[in-house]
């Protein structure tokens, strides 16, 4: 892992149980004996399939079933590389006081926090948890594990004040209350078993280290203490030429099953610094960092499969403390001061990353920020779990944590898949050469077939081009014929309308000779609703030179509405939601429906009918049937109109106030004496 890991093993003290990296990375297929140490098995590629590789799940959580992280992470790279931030709110506890008030309100992924009588402040995160451990694991642990098996470095760090539930979320208490670490470890082996069954050439290696930062000293929690040794050995942080940091002397333990990891975790927790304070019965006095190194290699190497490796880092930060609340004194006061200092430096680094000020990021000011340098802005996909108390007693600390988490959301990492560069032996090179030769011959034959297919496609395109030319010529001929027919139709329509006009004039002249008097009521409408694609049900007052004897106003009732080419209503169609812009260049159909008239003077009801004309073609008129002896005649006359292609001139015309003029004509009974 020399080229990709954030923390690289440089040397291993003789007191450590893990073997050196050079021994650890040997493949089983090489046939070399492994170390006698139970923590130094060279590979789990075959041990997972042996009786000793017990993978029976100890937790109730379901495995990932080999799913990729694409189903759980956003599709865009910027969103995938942004630090994912979740907030967990613990229930009220006895440490919050008897009169504690719940100051947090949750709505979806938004938290509002505010004390009584004060203005609340809202924050939105990727996840907000108020339920049990399973929900936390499904939304954080499973995506982390999926990304790890794809070759990405992943990191989770839990942040919050002391007693807010960080260690409970990360480690848990066993069974259904198990935290992220045991659930991830359990599913890590379940997924490995599935991948090995699917690909016999695959070898998977999993190893781990466990450390703490106590009073600004890095210590190996898996160190075997010598006789008489009271404290763990302080280790140094060093830097490689490529700027990656590592802990010099940290022990790395190869593991082949969940039980082995659990034993190492239990041993490490037994050596971690904890103490009881006024705020927390088991307060962590140090930052703990557990790392799992995961590699996937193929034996023999496969030209179509990549060998990948990654680091899974889980950080349980010690909680920030106020001396006035914890009553820390003596050694605990020193521990609290160092904890708060390192958290302050981490906060400054986060602010620098979130503000985009990468020219000076204070990573060297604390051991914690140096070790987490790859997790913020570097080669990792990072999750932050911010734990808060809902109590008014801890309002200031909770507000500070939420603002801290808000800054972390703005950090963009540069995660990439970590490929293993390994030297191929002569046999492996020959096997690869043979595969590549077969692939070349296969691709050569495929290229020949593609060339033949291309030739066929060229001939087909030429044939279709000729057919298209013939069809275009025939279409032009049809268009010419269509234009001639339309001209003839227009001429015939004009002649018919002229005959109808002459007939109407003749009828009026005859009625005049017969002593018939006429009532003519007029009304004008616009067609704005057709542009807006809405119905226009109108009751139009009829304007006439004759006043009604009873003083009522005669009315005409019409409905003008849009339809499609088949005559069906388009009122529910969203095509014209932008008005004229969506109609330009398209066909527009509409119906004019003359429903009825009301209040026609009784003296003129011998014969009543309605006709209307368009402003642009006043010679063309449209007339309803005659209705006799009714002051409220029912016409129910519909006519559909179509415009093959709307242009801006037609749109402007439709939007004008006077488009259609209606005339309701009522005739009196003939004067017998004049006849």
């Amino acid at each position: 892992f020399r080229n990709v890991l954030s923390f690289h093993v440089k040397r291993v003290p003789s007191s450590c149980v893990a073997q050196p990296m050079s021994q650890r990375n040997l493949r089983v297929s090489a046939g070399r004996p492994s170390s006698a140490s139970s923590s130094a098995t060279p590979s789990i590629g075959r041990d997972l399939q042996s009786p000793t590789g017990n993978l029976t799940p100890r937790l109730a959580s379901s495995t990932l079933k080999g799913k990729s992280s694409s189903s759980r992470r956003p599709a865009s790279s910027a969103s995938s590389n942004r630090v994912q931030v979740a907030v967990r709110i613990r229930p009220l506890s006895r440490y919050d006081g008897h009169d504690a008030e719940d100051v947090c309100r949750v709505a979806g992924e938004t938290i509002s926090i505010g004390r009584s009588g004060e203005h609340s402040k809202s924050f939105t995160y990727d996840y907000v948890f108020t339920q049990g451990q399973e929900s936390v694991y499904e939304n954080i642990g499973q995506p982390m594990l999926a990304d790890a098996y794809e070759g990405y470095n992943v990191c989770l760090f839990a942040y919050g004040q002391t007693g807010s539930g960080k260690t409970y979320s990360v480690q848990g208490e066993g069974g259904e209350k198990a935290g992220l670490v045991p659930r991830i470890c359990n599913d890590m082996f379940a997924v490995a078993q599935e991948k090995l069954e699917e690909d016999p050439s695959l070898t998977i290696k999993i190893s781990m280290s466990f450390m703490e930062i106590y009073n600004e000293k890095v210590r190996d929690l898996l160190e075997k203490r010598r006789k008489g040794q009271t404290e763990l050995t302080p280790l140094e942080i060093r830097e490689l030429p490529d700027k990656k940091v590592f802990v010099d002397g940290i022990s790395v333990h190869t593991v082949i099953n969940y039980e082995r990891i659990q034993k190492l975790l239990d041993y490490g927790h037994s050596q971690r610094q904890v103490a009881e304070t006024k705020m927390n019965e088991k307060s962590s006095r140090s930052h703990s960092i557990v790392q799992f190194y995961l590699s996937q290699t193929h034996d023999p190497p496969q030209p179509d499969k990549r060998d990948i490796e990654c680091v899974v880092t889980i950080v349980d930060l010690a909680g920030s403390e106020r001396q006035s609340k914890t009553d820390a004194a003596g050694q605990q006061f020193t521990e609290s001061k160092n904890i708060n200092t390192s958290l302050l430096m981490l906060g400054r680094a986060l602010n620098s990353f979130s503000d985009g000020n990468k020219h000076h990021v204070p990573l060297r000011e604390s051991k914690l920020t140096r070790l987490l340098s790859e997790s913020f802005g570097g080669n990792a996909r990072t999750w932050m779990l911010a734990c808060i108390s809902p109590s008014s007693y801890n309002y200031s600390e909770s507000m500070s944590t939420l603002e801290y988490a808000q800054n972390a959301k703005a950090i963009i990492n540069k995660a990439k898949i970590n490929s293993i560069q390994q030297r191929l032996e002569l046999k492996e090179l020959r096997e690869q050469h043979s595969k590549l030769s077969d692939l070349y011959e296969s691709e050569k034959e495929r290229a020949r077939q593609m060339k033949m297919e291309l030739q066929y496609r060229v001939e087909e395109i030429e044939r279709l081009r000729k057919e298209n030319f013939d069809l275009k010529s025939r279409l032009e001929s049809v268009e010419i014929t269509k234009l001639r027919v339309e001209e003839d139709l227009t001429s015939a329509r004009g002649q018919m309308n002229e005959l109808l006009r002459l007939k109407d004039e003749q009828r009026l002249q005859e009625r005049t000779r017969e002593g018939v008097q006429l009532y003519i009521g007029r009304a004008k409408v616009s067609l704005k609703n057709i542009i807006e694609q809405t119905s226009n049900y109108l009751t139009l007052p009829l304007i006439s030179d004759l006043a009604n004897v009873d003083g009522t106003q005669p009315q005409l009732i019409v409905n003008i509405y849009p339809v499609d080419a088949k005559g069906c209503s388009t009122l529910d169609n969203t095509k014209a939601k932008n008005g004229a812009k969506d109609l330009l260049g398209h066909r527009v159909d509409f119906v004019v429906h003359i429903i009825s008239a009301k209040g026609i003077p009784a003296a003129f009801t011998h014969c009543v009918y309605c006709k209307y004309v368009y402003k642009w073609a006043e010679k063309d008129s449209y007339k309803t049937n005659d209705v006799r002896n009714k002051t409220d005649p029912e016409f129910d006359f519909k006519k559909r109109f179509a415009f093959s292609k709307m242009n801006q001139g037609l749109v402007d015309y439709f939007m004008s106030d006077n488009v259609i003029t209606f005339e309701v004509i009522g005739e009196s009974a003939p004067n017998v004496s004049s006849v």
Side-chain angles (χ1 to χ4, degrees), residues 87-91 128-136 168-169:
V87 174
R88 190 174 194 185
I89 305 174
R90 69 158 173 79
V128 175
F129 302 118
T130 58
Q131 303 299 322
Q133 302 281 59
E134 184 69 18
S135 176
V136 179
Y168 175 81
S169 298

Side-chain angles (χ1 to χ4, degrees), residues 38-55:
S38 62
S39 63
T41 306
S43 170
I44 65 169
R46 296 186 179 179
D47 286 329
L48 280 174
Q49 302 176 26
S50 68
T52 60
N54 182 17
L55 285 172

Side-chain angles (χ1 to χ4, degrees), residues 267-329:
Y267 179 75
H269 287 304
S270 69
Q271 301 203 93
R272 189 180 177 188
Q273 293 293 325
V274 295
E276 181 177 3
T277 68
K278 197 174 179 180
M279 290 286 292
N280 191 352
E281 185 178 8
K282 295 181 180 180
S283 175
S284 302
R285 315 310 295 165
S286 65
H287 309 300
S288 73
I289 302 173
V290 60
Q291 289 188 304
F292 300 96
Y293 312 100
L294 173 65
S295 71
Q296 302 173 76
T297 58
H298 297 83
D299 185 16
Q302 305 292 317
D304 56 342
K305 297 178 181 179
R306 283 197 296 184
D307 295 344
I308 55 178
E309 60 187 358
C310 73
V311 184
V312 179
T313 303
I314 301 176
V315 184
D316 181 10
L317 297 174
S320 58
E321 298 181 352
R322 286 193 177 186
Q323 195 275 339
S324 60
K325 290 186 176 181
T326 60
D327 284 345

Side-chain angles (χ1 to χ4, degrees), residues 360-385:
H360 177 67
V361 180
L363 295 176
R364 295 180 175 271
E365 296 184 8
S366 76
K367 300 290 181 64
L368 179 63
T369 52
R370 287 200 70 190
L371 289 177
L372 295 181
S373 59
E374 280 290 295
S375 300
F376 300 101
N379 178 24
R381 286 183 171 173
T382 302
W383 284 257
M384 175 183 181
L385 178 61

